[in-house]
């Protein structure tokens, strides 16, 4: 049994940060929302990198407890003061308009306009990001400095948008493997010019898909590029027959900031993906935190709803809502660190290597240790202080290869990186001291 | 499904400490023991507050491994020295006589009297409390100062008591609810003028019973006012058919001192009452300790004997034996704090609210989150930093309402007070997003 | 039910350290290896203390994945420099020769000799201990000072050894008890003049066997004095029918140094022996550490291989490889502490006392506490601050004697030494308040 484990070192080079950053920079200016041309343009750019299938679901389609909303498109928007000055302009930042704002062209006094203006008093230089998807409304976002400087008087307010029957668009890529057991990677594509929240996940997911295409694969891999909430609900509702083949999954977001890695566990908390991510992060150098599931955050909320309860966690660096720039114009390209993006991708490649490399084996010599020496696997001279490290790895695998422990179980018990025991298992397989156990490798259950 | 949860704040006012203290003051002077007129008088006073049924069990009745003892009554007792001075007098403190002392009227030298005199050398101003229920004897308790000042010479010793066939008396109140599943509250009524150990439990239990009478009740509630050990054994032996309907229970004692709250777990340690008390105390402001069961203490020893093994813990403030005044004349009214009594009652009301409010639900939308917005349960404007607190409560209930988690399970996982998720569940029930699961609410088992 | 518990204090006297030390001193000069005359001489000396059966297994016998090697015997060995000086001599220390060196008598330049010389550069005064059992070779060990002082030139190298068909020898002692359930004690006898690693285990095991011979025994006891690895494999292969009757076991080594006690758990980690050793050490005064199983160390590697997975741990003071003198000439008699040997033996006697004394009981009064007073087991005067300690022990046993808790379960829960509850159980048995439960005592399973 040969195996192409991804045990290369996590250099920035391997992760190709320049290509990732170039992709993110190209996507940054586009005004994405949960529907509309911005999403289509985004998916179309991604198709230059990976063979994404784009799905279009008509407005009005019933999706579980929800309905696909009207499609929203916007061409421009601005506020002009009574001196004729264009004081707020969508052309300057697509965050200036509350997403899903209905069209308007009206003149009104400040007192009437004021409830439609949103700012961040604590961060007076930043424009907030606001949406009103399911509650028809209109509004502008602006810096608190701008808001504070508005004089009484009349303002002309223009939003040149459409809210009309159309489609919800999402992208999907299935990379088939030997088994129909599937690893899901999901990221949201519904935020306009926000870099860490949205684009970092898109960029890393795209490059991860490219990497996985190059691997020999036991598992199949499914990548979803979807609008948040309604997109994951749509995929789940349309693919109920595929849901139960998801054996591992990760929602990807906020993967480019300077912070350490945060892993939010699946609802069940002890699934294979939870254990694998914990193991990979434990042997990483970068600081990390592991958090229990909470029913708030990204699309893991839907994947982990009780009726699906999938083994899907969420991999981030600084989580949503916990960095000051979150959901504001300050979550821009300057927030991203090339080395963070590269490291996030490298961690994901390690995770994939563990998913692919995990298996349950049986030692061919259950009773007593086999004689490693006559297979060239033992130090020739005895009595030295201790077995060297690889020696220990061989002994761990032999001792725990009882057909009930997976390699993941073994590394958790031995406290070593997965690759160490994977290499030992390969060495033992090569001399017929080990054989695959007749069980499903991903569960370890006979 | 409507529900009258007791989620009011724990003000001292709600707990009516003045009434509780007045009752305790009225009961304080009575010379209670495990049988006799003092117990009957105590129960009769309690009957003015709650409709207690008084049971009389004849002396000599076999109770499991025990026998109901003779009834003890005492009219007076004193020691007169050879100068005719009444140096110890039961009229001054009923602690002066060892409980269950047989009658005596004799003159004897100090050397003969001495073995029958008990004092506390370390607390020379306090009179100890001593008993000799099952070992016929007589004796006096006095301060160590008194004892030390006794000169050699003859003393006249008089104990005007009866030890005669009679009855063991105890009080019982059943407050029926929708179900025969019963919550037990038990307190001992066998101590003479001891305030924290004995009367605080009686006072709090009486007021708790009055409160429960005003609630709409899913559970039935049984209050026992019994002599320690022999009383609980008697109730258990006479009510074996009712024992298994006890789903939760608490022994109440030492609830009036200035200390924090102590909860002693049931023998099983992980029953519903153990988890409920832990949850309520965790969200309280007052310091508290949770202790494992030990087979020493109050009547939980009997309720938790292996043949019954009931889910009965013990709620106290400073536990028996851990405050210096315990079992001495210093455990008097001055040891009690009105606010401690009120707080103890308030904690118990919270515990009852959780017992009543706990249930297992199923979300009507297991697959994905339901659309809260169109039911008026979601913030109209998206993109803000985080869901507010009630929003999270809704999401927790929806995510965990899979028919396997009780609300108590949910609050333990969410780390919030019970009332928060109870209110969320009520809001979801009101818009038909939640339904009761077809399981026993108290066990959570289908 | 009478019982001769070993509850005496752990005085050095009880452990007879002088006899142990005398035995170790007698054994020290012998050149043991995994086969050969040194092993036979060692076993023959042990037979003067305990009725050891000596087994001889022919070279070439297949043992699981191994083959019994040729027998190695050595009469002498030395290196002579060109000045005729005998610079290294087996007569000075049997560590000077790499174990299993083939015979040689040759003259060679230093450059050719050098690869066959082993020293410890970091400890230039010590001779290392080296072996080459299964890889035919020859070599000398010497101090690094010696090695460094060797001048270029010719050296005469003589090893007067045999590597010839013969036998593997090991000693076995079965001390039968009421049951065939067997407690295994195993120590290695394959090291030459090494004191802590090898002889301390042999000495303590011998004295422990003598002690066990004097006990009334529920369990049978099997002592193995075997060469490491090949010896335990040989016993396991030849006694597969006896393996499953091993209910507890300990490998004994490194029991004489000045360090605290180290217990290495069995592979399963939660077996009776693991819990018993932890309990005994917890109530000891000497510092101790409990470590999880790792598949490296002594013969527990074989006993805990997946096909046997026996409940066998390893008791040591400072573990193999963790004291500087390990596997060198500095692991000599001066490293041993008489009081450490005595304490190790005392700990083992305690462990045996728990193994023998553990049992599952049922209280004859499951419902409520029995009345201890009328059996003379309760303080006559009530109301005193707390039950004294023995009282608590009675209450613990009565409360947990439900036929599901072993005494070991009880002491773990009560947090007291085993002997305390053993004594309480004896007191309760004596007054018919307790009876043996109809279960296997060692498992606690009905």
């Amino acid at each position: 049994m040969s195996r192409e484990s991804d045990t290369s070192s996590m250099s920035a080079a391997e992760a190709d940060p320049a290509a990732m950053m170039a992709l993110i920079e190209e996507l940054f200016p586009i005004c994405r929302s949960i529907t509309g041309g911005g999403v289509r343009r985004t998916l179309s750019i991604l198709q230059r990198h990976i063979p994404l299938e784009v799905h279009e679901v008509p407005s009005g389609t019933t999706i579980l407890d929800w309905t696909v909303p009207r499609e929203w498109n916007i061409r421009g928007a601005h506020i002009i003061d009574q001196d004729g000055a264009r004081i707020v302009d969508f052309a300057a930042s697509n965050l200036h308009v509350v997403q899903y704002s209905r069209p308007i062209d009206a003149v009104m006094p400040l007192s009437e306009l004021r409830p439609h203006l949103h700012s961040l008093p604590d961060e007076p230089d930043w424009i907030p990001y606001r949406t009103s998807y399911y509650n028809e409304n209109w509004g502008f976002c602006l810096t608190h400095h701008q808001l504070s400087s508005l004089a009484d008087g009349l303002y002309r307010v223009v939003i040149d948008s459409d809210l009309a029957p159309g489609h919800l668009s999402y992208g999907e890529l299935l990379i088939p493997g030997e088994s129909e057991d599937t690893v899901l990677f999901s990221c949201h594509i519904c935020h306009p010019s926000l870099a860490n929240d949205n684009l970092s996940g898109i960029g890393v997911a795209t490059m991860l898909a490219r990497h996985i295409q190059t691997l020999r694969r036991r598992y199949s891999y499914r990548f979803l590029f979807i609008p948040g909430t309604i997109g994951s609900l749509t995929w789940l509702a349309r693919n109920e027959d595929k849901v139960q083949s998801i054996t591992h999954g990760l929602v990807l977001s906020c993967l480019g900031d300077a912070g350490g890695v945060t892993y939010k566990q699946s609802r069940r908390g002890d699934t294979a993906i939870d254990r694998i991510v914990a193991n990979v992060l434990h042997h990483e150098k970068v600081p990390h935190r592991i958090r229990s599931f909470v029913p708030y955050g990204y699309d893991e909320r839907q994947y982990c709803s009780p009726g699906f309860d999938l083994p899907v966690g969420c991999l981030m660096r600084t989580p949503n809502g916990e960095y000051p720039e979150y959901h504001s114009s300050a979550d821009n390209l300057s927030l991203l660190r090339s080395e963070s993006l590269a490291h996030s991708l490298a961690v994901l490649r390690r995770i994939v290597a563990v998913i692919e490399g995990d298996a349950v084996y049986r030692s061919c010599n259950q009773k007593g240790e086999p004689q490693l020496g006559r297979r060239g696997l033992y130090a020739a001279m005895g009595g030295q202080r201790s077995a060297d490290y690889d020696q220990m790895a061989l002994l761990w695998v032999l001792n725990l290869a009882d057909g009930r422990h997976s390699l993941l179980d073994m590394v958790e018990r031995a406290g070593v990186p997965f690759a160490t025991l994977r290499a030992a298992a390969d060495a033992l397989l090569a001399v017929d001291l080990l054989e695959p156990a007749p069980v499903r490798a991903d569960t370890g259950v006979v």
Side-chain angles (χ1 to χ4, degrees), chain A residues 407-421:
Chain A
L407 278 181
L408 181 60
D409 294 332
M410 296 182 198
V411 297
E412 287 179 346
R413 183 150 176 187
V416 300
F418 183 84
T420 304
L421 294 199

Side-chain angles (χ1 to χ4, degrees), chain A residues 131-321:
Chain A
T131 67
S132 190
Y133 301 135
Y134 301 100
N135 186 40
E136 191 171 316
N137 203 338
W138 63 269
F140 283 86
C141 300
L142 65 175
T143 71
H144 199 63
H145 283 141
Q146 282 180 298
L147 180 64
S148 308
S149 67
L150 295 186
D152 284 341
L154 292 175
Y155 290 86
R156 178 154 178 223
V157 171
V158 175
I159 299 179
D160 180 16
S161 66
D162 292 329
L163 259 176
H167 293 81
L168 175 147
S169 317
Y170 69 87
E172 183 172 15
L173 170 62
L174 178 68
I175 308 176
E178 291 166 17
S179 157
E180 293 194 0
D181 289 345
T182 304
V183 183
L184 175 72
F185 292 101
S186 176
C187 59
H188 63 287
I189 54 161
C190 53
H191 288 15
S193 295
L194 295 175
N196 196 34
D197 177 11
N198 185 26
L199 291 178
S200 68
I202 295 170
V204 169
T206 302
M207 295 304 157
L208 179 64
R210 288 175 61 93
H211 166 70
I212 288 171
Q213 286 176 318
T214 69
L215 299 178
R216 175 175 164 191
R217 293 173 299 273
R218 231 166 25 132
Y219 286 88
S220 297
Y221 291 80
R222 188 178 302 278
F223 283 81
L224 297 180
F225 295 82
I226 50 173
T229 306
I230 188 69
S232 53
L233 290 168
T234 297
W235 187 85
L236 286 164
R238 288 161 53 108
N239 295 281
E240 288 213 27
D241 59 322
K242 303 197 180 78
V243 164
Q244 288 316 315
S245 65
I246 296 173
T247 55
H248 311 69
L250 288 174
V251 169
L252 303 179
S253 184
C254 301
L255 289 167
D257 63 275
V261 178
T262 301
Y263 176 63
K264 175 182 167 181
Q265 294 174 325
S266 77
R267 181 180 185 264
R268 287 188 258 154
D270 60 354
T271 69
I273 189 68
D274 298 310
R275 295 171 54 204
I276 289 168
V277 176
N279 190 269
V280 168
L281 293 179
H282 179 74
H283 293 286
E284 273 297 292
K285 299 291 172 291
V286 169
H288 68 274
R289 295 174 293 189
I290 293 178
R291 296 190 175 177
S292 296
F293 178 79
V294 297
Y296 188 71
Y298 291 106
D299 285 312
E300 68 277 7
R301 290 162 66 166
Q302 311 310 327
Y303 301 125
C304 294
S305 57
F308 295 116
D309 200 16
L310 295 177
V312 175
C314 180
L315 194 76
M316 300 168 278
R317 301 190 81 88
T318 308
N320 52 300

